[in-house]
Amino acid sequence: MTSSRIACVAVLAFVLTATSALCYIVTDGAARRQSASASASHGEAQTYIVLVEPPPAHARGGGEDDQAAHRRWHESFLPGAGEGGQRPRPRIRHSYTGVLSGFAATLTGGELDAVSRRPGFVRAFPERRLPLMTTRTPGFLGLAQGRGVWKEARYGEGVVVCNGQGCFESDVLAGMDAAVKDGVDVLSISLGGPSVAFDKDPIAIGAFGAVSRGISVVCAGGNSGPMPFTLSNEAPWMLTVAAGSVDRSFRATVRLGDGEAFDGESLSQDKRFSSKAYPLYYSQGTNYCDFFDANITGAVVVCDTETPLPPTRSIDAIREAGGAGVVFINEADFGYTIVLEKYYDLPMSQVTSADGAKIMGYAGVGSPAGSHTATIVFNSSVVGVKPAPVVAAFSSRGPSAASPGVPKPDVMAPGLNILAGWPSQVPVGDGAESYSFNVVSGTSMATPHVTGIVALIKKVHPDWSPAMIKSAIMTTSSALDNDGHAIMDEEHRKARFYTVGAGHVDPAKAIDPGLVYDLAAPHNAAYICALLGESSLRTITGDSAATCAEAGSVAEAQLNYPAILVPLRPGLAFTVNRTVTNVGPARSRYTARVDAPGCTTVKVEPAELVFKEAMERKTFAVTVTVSGRDGGGAGGGRRVVAEGSLRWVSRHHVVRSPIVADGSVAPKSAQKV
Ligand SMILES: *[C@@H]1O[C@H](CO)[C@@H](O)[C@H](O)[C@H]1NC(C)=O
Ligand SMILES: *[C@@H]1O[C@H](CO)[C@@H](O)[C@H](O)[C@H]1NC(C)=O
Ligand SMILES: *[C@@H]1O[C@H](CO)[C@@H](O)[C@H](O)[C@H]1NC(C)=O
């Protein structure tokens, strides 16, 4: 515990981008990601992650190192040759001792039965393949946006990172396990599958193990937005990250023959492209530009896209047909979010669907062919773009499906069109050229920014728990953009809590938050009891003797979280308690300032907190009373959510917690237990 201690970071990452691999089942206005989690099957057998108790004392010792003792204990669960039929004796693929006690092995149903009958068996689940939401080979492991000042001492050791179809959970868990044993301070997890109950999610279980050992776990919230209930990695012990834009634009302005100009973007900044007027071509019959039934030689072609990234086959078709350039119109869902990724070998600009509609209007209607012209003006990267940040359309949205009473995501960080270090052996786009940098998007790009901030805080405050660090990042985050307005979503509407979380990260403030909401492992255990029950408690904590009688019970709303989520029901008065720890000046005085969510009144008791010592704790109660008949309820299938905030303000600090009142949160999930 010295100030020279270097925070170590393990990065388990692949690049998640919002591409055509996203698929949805739409029900009742909400969307769930289609499960890409089909169990990995290998003929009859499949890989299971098997949780077992730690080895009993008599299985250890004998001069053997601990790791070997664990492995031998894990092997003792496997059926011997012959027992499993014709198959050879199954083998352990991974043996876990860092974040949990267990192993991964490929087993038939019969073999699994045998394993589950051994004393010490806790639980087994078939592993999922965590889907890759990218068209590119995973391999990114870098961060070029110079915020982090940490040393990635173990950089690369935790890499698992996956093949073209995804990452297997057992492998990801092995990376986490190794990183924890290596003594890292932060785990950065930029992958995740669809939401499942925490006791069936090895990543959530592994993260619980890591956080219980004082290791922060920062996770990508997912790239399945903008529909609700699309978050991954939502456990309250994880720090769940949303993605936003930065104030930079790779500008490619489309200038029409009538003088109108639209600021699109492109990574192919073709400065040789002449700004002369080209014929502008758009046809509803060939609007996806995969084939042409007209002569487009020398024309700038306007194309619609169904995916965030323009398809390579359209580029090829245009080039082969002799097109001079292309304007790609964003899919409508993506609003103002323009995802850039590839270096295309054709002058092009990607524009928003709103701008695209105007360009189409000009190109398409009622004039003789050839009389409409356009050009593309390339203007490199423009900085200082406003408004920024804006939430990226692909950033996954809350509420959490696994735990709707815990407000998620936690914070937003830069994740749209991020300049990133790139392994030169991984091809970029369709070209054979190699690059050491690329521009990439995803909550997986936002996650390492937050990981860096965690490492920074850990370095300054080595004794802070993961929950204290997370609280510092959340309560100091900014709710405003660089225009001074509330941060907006991809449609340029005010971003909701379930979209942006507490706000956009602010590293300089996060180091000195004034007060923090701490949350120790026993709180999480009591929360698991209330949400999932005793058998899940045993699975997640890996302690087969744990009981809820001992652990207690804490409802979702009562967890000492740095954001507040209460049910919204007419006439309901709902109280949550919170405890803050003074990490600012020993003697300080804070006053509560409340911005009450619409149709509610909020009372904070006491309304003033006076601290006399460092690390002193104070508890207060927040009562949200819903007024009127209109308040709350999910009438007519509409989701009613009102938002406000509680700020504790002292001379030097503002400690801000969002207050979310949600009509679809069942009072029971929030009740005092
Ligand atoms: C297509 O248009 C170009 C440019 O206007 C012209 O040079 C060429 O001859 C045309 N090709 C055909 C097959 O009509
Ligand atoms: C290019 O960008 C600069 C700086 O942002 C701006 O002053 C200039 O007007 C832009 N030129 C065009 C053609 O958009
Ligand atoms: C909240 O705090 C008040 C007093 O500060 C206490 O009476 C009450 O029992 C607490 N509620 C819970 C759920 O802990």
Side-chain angles (χ1 to χ4, degrees):
M1 295 288 186
T2 69
S3 57
S4 65
R5 179 172 166 199
I6 290 166
C8 306
V9 182
V11 183
L12 308 178
F14 61 78
V15 182
L16 298 178
T17 62
T19 67
S20 54
L22 305 180
C23 40
Y24 301 98
I25 303 168
V26 179
T27 44
D28 304 329
R32 299 291 172 113
R33 220 169 326 161
Q34 192 160 15
S35 172
S37 63
S39 306
S41 94
H42 305 272
E44 284 193 312
Q46 55 182 322
T47 303
Y48 290 87
I49 294 169
V50 181
L51 306 187
V52 299
E53 288 174 18
H58 65 77
R60 306 187 196 210
E64 208 173 21
D65 75 30
D66 209 42
Q67 183 65 30
H70 272 89
R71 194 168 179 101
R72 203 160 44 77
W73 164 245
H74 292 159
E75 274 165 358
S76 76
F77 282 82
L78 297 182
E83 284 180 48
Q86 304 305 312
R87 282 165 42 78
R89 179 184 160 93
R91 289 224 208 98
I92 302 256
R93 263 180 57 192
H94 297 291
S95 181
Y96 309 116
T97 58
V99 288
L100 50 77
S101 165
F103 58 89
T106 303
L107 303 167
T108 64
E111 288 163 349
L112 180 66
D113 273 354
V115 169
S116 67
R117 282 194 299 271
R118 308 262 165 165
F121 171 87
V122 175
R123 188 159 187 170
F125 15 66
E127 76 167 347
R128 301 178 303 164
R129 197 203 300 253
L130 302 177
L132 276 180
M133 288 176 275
T134 176
T135 53
R136 90 172 43 265
T137 312
F140 164 78
L141 273 176
L143 178 64
Q145 271 236 322
R147 274 218 176 119
V149 294
W150 70 96
K151 274 248 198 321
E152 292 171 71
R154 304 279 174 172
Y155 186 82
E157 274 188 31
V159 177
V160 183
V161 186
C162 306
N163 65 20
Q165 274 79 50
C167 305
F168 284 109
E169 273 173 332
S170 67
D171 299 334
V172 175
L173 205 50
M176 293 172 70
D177 203 66
V180 167
K181 284 188 285 199
D182 281 350
V184 301
D185 292 321
V186 195
L187 277 168
S188 182
I189 301 182
S190 283
L191 45 82
S195 176
V196 287
F198 302 137
D199 61 337
K200 296 186 178 60
D201 180 351
I203 308 300
I205 297 171
F208 185 93
V211 168
S212 304
R213 288 161 180 75
I215 298 158
S216 291
V217 181
V218 186
C219 299
N223 298 331
S224 303
M227 271 69 87
F229 288 106
T230 46
L231 274 184
S232 300
N233 298 321
E234 326 119 89
W237 47 89
M238 294 169 161
L239 209 169
T240 312
V241 183
S245 67
V246 293
D247 67 345
R248 179 191 52 210
S249 168
F250 297 90
R251 190 148 292 169
T253 303
V254 179
R255 186 164 294 148
L256 303 181
D258 66 1
E260 273 230 77
F262 301 92
D263 283 340
E265 291 194 70
S266 174
L267 286 185
S268 325
Q269 292 279 328
D270 196 336
K271 296 280 167 49
R272 290 161 306 174
F273 190 65
S274 151
S275 58
K276 75 176 179 126
Y278 296 82
L280 186 64
Y281 178 83
Y282 176 76
S283 161
Q284 251 164 15
T286 60
N287 63 325
Y288 290 114
C289 298
D290 30 14
F291 73 99
F292 295 97
D293 50 17
N295 183 359
I296 63 158
T297 305
V300 168
V301 182
V302 182
C303 309
D304 289 311
T305 50
E306 286 178 305
T307 53
L309 292 173
T312 308
R313 65 169 191 283
S314 301
I315 312 268
D316 292 343
I318 295 163
R319 204 175 29 225
E320 277 161 28
V326 55
V327 176
F328 275 107
I329 300 174
N330 227 358
E331 59 171 339
D333 261 9
F334 265 56
Y336 288 87
T337 297
I338 295 179
V339 180
L340 305 171
E341 199 174 318
K342 295 176 174 174
Y343 298 92
Y344 295 104
D345 185 17
L346 190 70
M348 65 176 283
S349 176
Q350 289 173 237
V351 299
T352 65
S353 63
D355 286 350
K358 292 177 193 157
I359 294 170
M360 274 192 290
Y362 168 81
V365 195
S367 317
S371 69
H372 295 132
T373 60
T375 191
I376 304 171
V377 181
F378 295 100
N379 202 6
S380 305
S381 57
V382 177
V383 293
V385 171
K386 291 182 176 184
V390 172
V391 182
F394 55 76
S395 189
S396 285
R397 311 295 152 101
S400 159
S403 186
V406 170
K408 286 278 180 175
D410 294 313
V411 285
M412 184 169 82
L416 178 65
N417 302 332
I418 301 301
L419 192 59
W422 192 260
S424 56
Q425 64 273 25
V426 176
V428 167
D430 23 334
E433 284 175 76
S434 72
Y435 296 85
S436 56
F437 286 90
N438 195 7
V439 168
V440 213
S441 296
T443 50
S444 61
M445 299 305 298
T447 302
H449 286 85
V450 179
T451 305
I453 298 168
V454 169
L456 209 59
I457 297 174
K458 187 83 186 170
K459 193 173 175 191
V460 179
H461 307 287
D463 51 342
W464 283 14
S465 69
M468 291 167 81
I469 293 173
K470 172 166 146 179
S471 173
I473 292 173
M474 286 175 70
T475 63
T476 60
S477 67
S478 173
L480 304 179
D481 62 24
N482 60 1
D483 251 343
H485 300 125
I487 291 174
M488 294 193 287
D489 68 11
E490 71 284 351
E491 299 288 352
H492 281 186
R493 300 165 302 207
K494 182 179 188 294
R496 310 309 304 255
F497 175 86
Y498 290 132
T499 298
V500 68
H504 194 251
V505 290
D506 186 336
K509 287 191 178 151
I511 286 185
D512 180 22
L515 305 175
V516 291
Y517 295 78
D518 196 5
L519 213 165
H523 295 109
N524 283 327
Y527 154 85
I528 292 166
C529 282
L531 184 72
L532 297 167
E534 191 165 272
S535 113
S536 304
L537 174 73
R538 293 176 174 177
T539 301
I540 296 171
T541 59
D543 175 0
S544 60
T547 66
C548 284
E550 213 174 305
S553 186
V554 169
E556 291 169 297
Q558 304 295 347
L559 199 61
N560 198 37
Y561 215 71
I564 294 169
L565 175 58
V566 298
L568 188 67
R569 289 282 187 286
L572 184 74
F574 195 87
T575 301
V576 297
N577 285 3
R578 289 290 189 272
T579 300
V580 284
T581 306
N582 179 23
V583 293
R587 303 181 74 86
S588 43
R589 177 187 298 265
Y590 286 83
T591 310
R593 303 260 172 81
V594 170
D595 166 23
C599 71
T600 72
T601 54
V602 174
K603 192 172 70 176
V604 181
E605 270 184 320
E608 193 177 69
L609 301 176
V610 181
F611 295 91
K612 296 193 173 61
E613 294 169 41
M615 297 306 282
E616 189 180 349
R617 290 164 179 265
K618 296 272 182 199
T619 295
F620 57 90
V622 179
T623 302
V624 181
T625 306
V626 183
S627 56
R629 282 170 309 166
D630 301 335
R638 245 176 77 241
R639 196 180 174 81
V640 183
V641 181
E643 297 178 10
S645 67
L646 162 65
R647 287 174 305 144
W648 286 108
V649 180
S650 75
R651 194 198 291 250
H652 300 293
H653 296 95
V654 177
V655 187
R656 185 179 55 88
S657 290
I659 302 175
V660 182
D662 185 337
S664 65
V665 167
K668 116 174 158 6
S669 75
Q671 255 158 22
K672 300 168 198 166
V673 184

